Amino acid sequence: MKTFRTTDGTEWQVVVNVATIKRCMDDTGLRLTDLFASEAKIGEFFADDVRFCEVLFSVIRPQADAADKTLDDFLAGIDGTVIEQAVEALLAEVADFFQEPRKGLIKKTLARYQAAHLKLVTEGVLAAEKRIEETDFETLLRQTLTSSASSSPGNAA
């Protein structure tokens, strides 16, 4: 059983069983076991952080109910780091739900997805760093200050 921790320090256990799958279908319309049905499905699912968090809440809802936490309480404890940890926990638990050989195939798919994701994130960071290094902030600030000064009401005479 995998876990993740929200920013308020709460540790949540990710349990995927038939009850979890049914609850997610009832709550969100998403069938967790279909995540790996196609490349498009998994990409589509993780493209929307809010939707992912709603599904995640459905997964942990029995724990949230026991702790008297609402969806809004749960979402307030979610940031980018939490999402990354929760994604890994949920995907691993969904993969572990299946029996071999399907489990092995799903884990292979998951490993390839994670490698591709890491590659794209790394490329994005490198591109952003390059843009930052190439940006002439002094010139931009001078242009902004000059533009602001010339359009201020005190200069219209």
Side-chain angles (χ1 to χ4, degrees), residues 40-125:
K41 276 267 191 206
I42 196 166
E44 175 185 305
F45 178 63
F46 293 110
D48 184 346
D49 290 341
V50 174
R51 172 120 167 93
F52 168 75
C53 289
E54 289 171 342
V55 170
L56 185 62
F57 182 75
S58 183
V59 169
I60 59 93
R61 189 163 46 91
Q63 297 164 69
D65 290 347
D68 202 28
K69 292 206 177 202
T70 66
L71 174 60
D72 284 342
D73 295 334
F74 179 71
L75 294 177
I78 304 284
D79 65 10
T81 301
V82 173
I83 288 174
E84 285 196 26
Q85 293 169 356
V87 163
E88 286 188 31
L90 181 60
L91 288 178
E93 286 299 317
V94 170
D96 283 344
F97 173 81
F98 295 99
Q99 292 183 350
E100 294 295 347
R102 192 170 179 192
K103 178 192 269 187
L105 293 171
I106 289 172
K107 286 190 173 195
K108 186 174 185 174
T109 301
L110 180 55
R112 291 198 61 216
Y113 172 82
Q114 289 170 327
H117 181 262
L118 179 61
K119 179 182 177 191
L120 291 175
V121 167
T122 302
E123 288 173 359
V125 168

Side-chain angles (χ1 to χ4, degrees), residues 19-39:
T20 308
I21 292 165
K22 182 178 182 328
R23 185 173 52 254
C24 284
M25 283 176 31
D26 292 346
D27 292 352
T28 68
L30 177 79
R31 185 179 175 97
L32 285 175
T33 53
D34 287 348
L35 281 181
F36 297 100
S38 70
E39 292 173 15

